[in-house]
Amino acid sequence: MNRPVQRLVVVALALVLLVPVGAIGISQLLNPGGGEQASESQTDPGNPENRPTADPAEQPTRPDLPRPEEPAELTERSEAGAEATVTYLLGSYDYMMSSGDISVWEDKVDPNCQVCVTFLQNAEQLAAQDGYLVGGAFDVHSTSFEGTGEPPATGTVTADFTQAESVLVDDPTLQSNALEAVGGQLIAMVAWDGERWRVTDMSIAPPEDAVSDAGGAADGDTTGGAADGDTTGG
């Protein structure tokens, strides 16, 4: 097949949730100041970001990670079950992005969760391009849950996390992308579907200094969790 490989914006979780997927190319997202270099030469339709080529044999080795085991709490209609679901999603992220196996997320996210579906599509597309993520494991430091109903039927899980640095090989024939370690707070809306918890929306809470500055902390984020309590009217 002679068609050009599709470019993806598959980056660290925090960046994907803060920047509209597909709005800009991956090189601009990771290196906003690099636009001048790209404009110096004509853009290659198969490589719109004008990244240097690479020998696939010299790319970082694709990790061979085991499929994370699902804890029993995932099917419990409880606070622990809701928190375990979000923790499992984060804990299985590096496996999904390195293997292309989206089954670890599929039955734990709602089909109407736009952010969730984007991750699944990106993981599938990345695998189709023979791409993968190296590193990027999440460490969940703490979780909390606020729910409605007894037992709860819907609620919000807040997870404090850090994500290790990683390397994204989205096209083995092009230079890979180094992603820095990130940390923050994930806010996930969850709902009980009768058998298990499913994430219905996700967002990254803005940094505390951004909230205090009131300078557009949401940045177009229309998800319910991140903007809660923001009473700044402009």
Side-chain angles (χ1 to χ4, degrees):
M1 285 254 177
N2 224 354
R3 62 183 181 83
V5 177
Q6 294 183 40
R7 298 268 63 75
L8 293 176
V9 180
V10 184
V11 295
L13 177 60
L15 293 179
V16 173
L17 293 177
L18 289 173
V19 180
V21 175
I24 53 179
I26 194 167
S27 62
Q28 291 98 323
L29 178 60
L30 300 176
N31 182 24
E36 296 85 355
Q37 182 177 357
S39 62
E40 290 176 0
S41 60
Q42 191 170 4
T43 300
D44 177 358
N47 180 16
E49 296 144 21
N50 283 343
R51 273 192 286 164
T53 57
D55 181 352
E58 297 181 358
Q59 294 282 18
T61 303
R62 181 196 296 267
D64 184 15
L65 302 177
R67 189 184 194 281
E69 188 173 343
E70 298 188 2
E73 292 88 349
L74 292 183
T75 54
E76 292 181 4
R77 187 176 173 179
S78 64
E79 176 177 328
E83 293 179 12
T85 298
V86 174
T87 300
Y88 184 83
L89 285 184
L90 293 179
S92 60
Y93 174 81
D94 57 335
Y95 165 78
M96 180 174 73
M97 289 301 186
S98 63
S99 67
D101 179 7
I102 65 171
S103 66
V104 288
W105 274 45
E106 258 183 326
D107 62 351
K108 300 166 192 69
V109 299
D110 188 278
N112 295 316
C113 173
Q114 185 175 356
V115 172
C116 308
V117 170
T118 297
F119 275 114
L120 297 179
Q121 292 173 340
N122 280 348
E124 287 185 310
Q125 184 63 54
L126 187 65
Q129 295 178 184
D130 203 24
Y132 51 92
L133 185 71
V134 180
F138 279 87
D139 186 6
V140 178
H141 305 292
S142 64
T143 56
S144 60
F145 175 75
E146 291 185 9
T148 57
E150 187 59 47
T154 59
T156 302
V157 175
T158 302
D160 293 305
F161 71 88
T162 52
Q163 183 187 16
E165 62 185 12
S166 58
V167 175
L168 174 68
V169 181
D170 64 325
D171 181 347
T173 66
L174 296 177
Q175 185 181 69
S176 56
N177 297 275
L179 307 176
E180 295 180 357
V182 295
Q185 192 173 74
L186 175 75
I187 299 174
M189 311 298 290
V190 296
W192 180 257
D193 72 353
E195 296 182 354
R196 62 167 62 242
W197 290 97
R198 288 181 182 264
V199 173
T200 60
D201 206 352
M202 289 192 294
S203 61
I204 293 293
E208 291 184 4
D209 55 349
V211 174
S212 62
D213 291 343
D219 273 339
D221 187 342
T222 58
T223 55
D228 287 348
D230 184 0
T231 56
T232 57

